[in-house]
Amino acid sequence: ITPIVVVPNPVTLPLVYTPKVFNTDSPRILHMGVKPNKNLYRLIRALSGLRCELIIVGEATQQLEKELHKYQITYEFKTGLSNEEVLHEYVLCDLVAFVSTYEGFGLPILEAQAVGRPVITSNVASMPEVAGEGALLVDPFDVEAIRTQINQVIASEELRASMISNGLVNVKRFQPNAIAAQYMAVYETLKEINA
């Protein structure tokens, strides 16, 4: 019986660590995607009453806009972005909120870490494994927990610095050369098995 080996996706966008002074008065929070699993409705409720700007990469819907207005969130939708424009959104933001209820992998976690942004992500599916020690993990079904974690990041410069530092270390595991080495190890094992 051949063992199952999981080799993760590499980070392929040309991401560069770009330090930024965190805007504690009204942080720019980046959210990727609008599909149901992206959990945007709970994030919107979690941000209610917080001074922030929510940047949503994805197509606006009437229902989403209604929800954003209901909870008085300052927001902007970004659609049809090129890779360069997506990179620019990571650079501009203060924090990435990626609190999906499910992900097969979760590249935005790594993309944010590579740029040097604090990440809050979910404690379910693949996300803890992808995030490593470089993110705060939260129950994506718990609105208050999401709000608490966001408030912690806003309030603590020390926490942000630790998250950024750990994220930069974590993302090294997903560089193309590191992933290529994992594939080579699989091939070598298969050669031995089939020898």
Side-chain angles (χ1 to χ4, degrees):
I1 297 173
T2 305
I4 294 172
V5 178
V6 177
V7 178
N9 294 326
V11 176
T12 56
L13 290 177
L15 298 152
V16 177
Y17 172 55
T18 311
K20 180 183 187 296
V21 176
F22 192 95
N23 182 352
T24 53
D25 291 331
S26 182
R28 186 179 175 101
I29 299 175
L30 182 62
H31 175 88
M32 307 297 280
V34 295
K35 291 180 181 175
N37 68 300
K38 300 299 182 180
N39 206 24
L40 183 51
Y41 287 97
R42 287 190 186 91
L43 177 61
I44 290 167
R45 296 205 306 273
L47 294 177
S48 176
L50 295 179
R51 285 181 54 183
C52 67
E53 182 181 9
L54 180 60
I55 307 301
I56 303 159
V57 176
E59 200 76 44
T61 66
Q62 279 189 329
Q63 187 60 40
L64 277 171
E65 299 221 62
K66 183 179 175 185
E67 198 80 354
L68 287 156
H69 287 292
K70 175 182 175 182
Y71 289 100
Q72 300 180 322
I73 308 296
T74 301
Y75 70 93
E76 188 177 349
F77 282 93
K78 303 272 188 169
T79 57
L81 300 183
S82 66
N83 282 346
E84 291 76 19
E85 289 166 329
V86 170
L87 292 179
H88 192 56
E89 290 304 323
Y90 283 115
V91 170
L92 290 177
C93 79
D94 294 290
L95 164 68
V96 172
F98 194 71
V99 292
S100 303
T101 56
Y102 176 80
E103 290 289 339
F105 187 67
L107 268 176
I109 297 166
L110 299 174
E111 291 167 347
Q113 288 177 339
V115 174
R117 297 299 174 266
V119 179
I120 296 173
T121 193
S122 302
N123 63 1
V124 298
S126 59
M127 289 163 280
E129 186 179 344
V130 172
E133 300 295 316
L136 287 185
L137 302 180
V138 66
D139 178 350
F141 300 98
D142 186 337
V143 170
E144 281 306 314
I146 297 169
R147 179 199 299 270
T148 298
Q149 295 289 48
I150 290 169
N151 273 324
Q152 283 186 345
V153 173
I154 294 170
S156 175
E157 184 177 352
E158 186 178 340
L159 174 61
R160 293 192 303 269
S162 170
M163 292 170 72
I164 291 166
S165 175
N166 289 340
L168 289 168
V169 170
N170 181 61
V171 81
K172 290 177 183 174
R173 297 188 295 138
F174 300 90
Q175 294 303 316
N177 58 349
I179 302 304
Q182 290 183 50
Y183 276 111
M184 284 304 300
V186 171
Y187 294 141
E188 292 300 323
T189 302
L190 288 172
K191 278 170 45 180
E192 289 173 19
I193 290 171
N194 294 320

